[in-house]
Amino acid sequence: MQLDEVYELYMNDLYRYLFSLSKDHYVAEDLVQEAFYRAYMTLEDYEINNIKAWLFKVAYHAFVDYQRKNKRTVLEEDVKPHLNADQNTPESKMLEKESLRLLLEDLNLLQENEKQAVLLCDLHELSYQEAADILDLKLNTFKSHMVRGRKKLMVRVKERMNRDERSS
């Protein structure tokens, strides 16, 4: 498979993943380009069985390198999700954006490994093994992060729903 075909197939997935990590549209775009640049530089040297998982790993490492280099914190107000709504009504778009904002808020309260596990498997549909490889974790360690992250996320969502019901 040629790199331009790989780019067309996975560019949006990588962008969404990197956007969920960086919370910045421009940083996510830059990191997608960095990930594909790195892929271009190393793709011919390796035989890769699962290109999607490998690209997510390259993108994750590009993000980690970016974080180390810039050592900056991102404020929650900077989150500007870009969604493709199924319904084009302003109300549905606003509700969907608000739901995603609240989910990202809840995700950001998790420990980093738990957050990564949930993002990779639940939002980006990678297998446990692929996600564990991306994060350089043993499969059982990854599974424990996944279970803890999902439990904490469910508790937060239920708490928010209960607060919303009481205030209505």
Side-chain angles (χ1 to χ4, degrees):
M1 188 179 286
Q2 295 294 323
L3 189 61
D4 55 343
E5 294 170 350
V6 171
Y7 182 82
E8 289 294 320
L9 277 174
Y10 299 116
M11 185 262 310
N12 289 329
D13 290 338
L14 284 181
Y15 170 79
R16 283 190 297 272
Y17 174 60
L18 291 165
F19 179 77
S20 64
L21 295 177
S22 67
K23 298 166 201 65
D24 185 304
H25 166 72
Y26 299 107
V27 170
E29 282 185 337
D30 289 346
L31 290 174
V32 167
Q33 296 306 317
E34 176 66 21
F36 278 101
Y37 172 74
R38 291 180 183 189
Y40 173 75
M41 297 304 286
T42 59
L43 201 53
E44 292 179 2
D45 297 339
Y46 298 101
E47 187 169 322
I48 298 160
N49 295 331
N50 186 339
I51 192 78
K52 182 178 180 181
W54 181 77
L55 279 172
F56 270 80
K57 186 172 189 166
V58 170
Y60 173 73
H61 288 290
F63 173 74
V64 168
D65 291 346
Y66 169 80
Q67 286 294 93
R68 286 183 187 142
K69 191 176 184 181
N70 294 302
K71 291 190 182 197
R72 66 174 254 226
T73 58
V74 178
L75 301 175
E76 289 299 316
E77 298 85 34
D78 292 339
V79 177
K80 296 176 185 171
H82 301 282
L83 299 172
N84 294 326
D86 291 336
Q87 299 174 339
N88 289 329
T89 64
E91 294 84 9
S92 66
K93 286 181 181 179
M94 190 173 115
L95 287 173
E96 202 168 314
K97 285 182 181 182
E98 180 65 13
S99 296
L100 180 60
R101 186 188 65 76
L102 291 171
L103 178 62
L104 287 174
E105 216 172 81
D106 291 339
L107 273 169
N108 286 324
L109 296 174
L110 299 177
Q111 291 180 5
E112 191 62 28
N113 281 335
E114 296 166 354
K115 174 183 166 183
Q116 293 294 329
V118 172
L119 281 171
L120 289 170
C121 289
D122 292 343
L123 270 69
H124 297 288
E125 301 175 350
L126 293 174
S127 72
Y128 285 4
Q129 187 62 58
E130 291 169 336
D133 291 343
I134 289 168
L135 300 174
D136 293 323
L137 296 173
K138 292 182 181 174
L139 183 59
N140 287 334
T141 304
F142 176 82
K143 286 180 181 179
S144 66
H145 290 305
M146 187 70 179
V147 168
R148 278 187 257 135
R150 283 179 175 162
K151 281 183 182 177
K152 289 177 183 178
L153 201 55
M154 289 305 298
V155 166
R156 286 188 170 86
V157 169
K158 285 179 183 178
E159 287 172 353
R160 187 173 3 69
M161 290 173 67
N162 288 336
R163 280 194 311 265
D164 291 347
E165 287 175 5
R166 285 188 294 239
S167 64
S168 296

